[in-house]
Amino acid sequence: MFRHLLVVVDDRPKAFRAVLMALRLARCLGSPVTLVYVVRRLRDARAQSPPSSREGVTRGDVLFARARRVAVRLDVDCACRFAFGYERDGMIAELTTRYASDLVIVPSVDDDGPIAHVRERETSTDVLVCP
């Protein structure tokens, strides 16, 4: 049914729920998973405490380590990648094409993070929003 799953997450608390959902689904389908962690673009340097890309990579590494442990237990092929500096528009379509995915799974989109407008994007791939 779905030959390759793409999971696009960022540093929001609901991200790991989407990862778990994707890994369980991949186990049932026998599909590989590519997990893409979006590191937020740096804000204005004049802000009081702009997030650094180093902090984003550290948080992504922690999420990747957890995902890899679960993937090994479920016997799912899981690749982990970072995406830096993406604007919202076109990001999902570009990542879907790059990783040859036919299902994209994202955490719920209730704030203004890097993947907040994923429902509005027109992609040739199905998008599953994890509650």
Side-chain angles (χ1 to χ4, degrees):
M1 185 194 287
F2 296 110
R3 294 177 312 245
H4 190 171
L5 308 180
L6 174 67
V7 186
V8 182
V9 295
D10 54 15
D11 60 354
R12 290 180 289 159
K14 296 180 182 179
F16 197 68
R17 182 184 294 175
V19 172
L20 288 176
M21 179 185 213
L23 292 172
R24 290 176 183 149
L25 182 59
R27 180 176 187 236
C28 293
L29 297 173
S31 303
V33 174
T34 299
L35 173 59
V36 176
Y37 186 91
V38 179
V39 177
R40 292 178 184 258
R41 182 181 290 272
L42 294 177
R43 295 185 196 145
D44 184 6
R46 294 172 289 180
Q48 277 188 326
S49 61
S52 72
S53 59
R54 182 176 297 162
E55 292 170 8
V57 169
T58 300
R59 286 190 296 267
D61 283 337
V62 170
L63 185 116
F64 288 164
R66 290 177 66 194
R68 286 184 184 114
R69 284 193 300 269
V70 173
V72 166
R73 288 188 183 130
L74 294 176
D75 194 30
V76 172
D77 182 20
C78 179
C80 299
R81 307 282 183 258
F82 284 101
F84 294 93
Y86 276 99
E87 296 294 333
R88 285 182 223 134
D89 298 337
M91 178 188 67
I92 299 297
E94 180 183 335
L95 292 173
T96 300
T97 302
R98 180 183 303 168
Y99 297 113
S101 304
D102 45 11
L103 177 65
V104 178
I105 300 172
V106 296
S108 62
V109 288
D110 55 358
D111 69 349
D112 196 32
I115 56 176
H117 299 285
V118 93
R119 290 184 197 159
E120 299 170 9
R121 299 304 325 146
E122 292 183 17
T123 66
S124 59
T125 306
D126 294 321
V127 176
L128 175 63
V129 178
C130 179

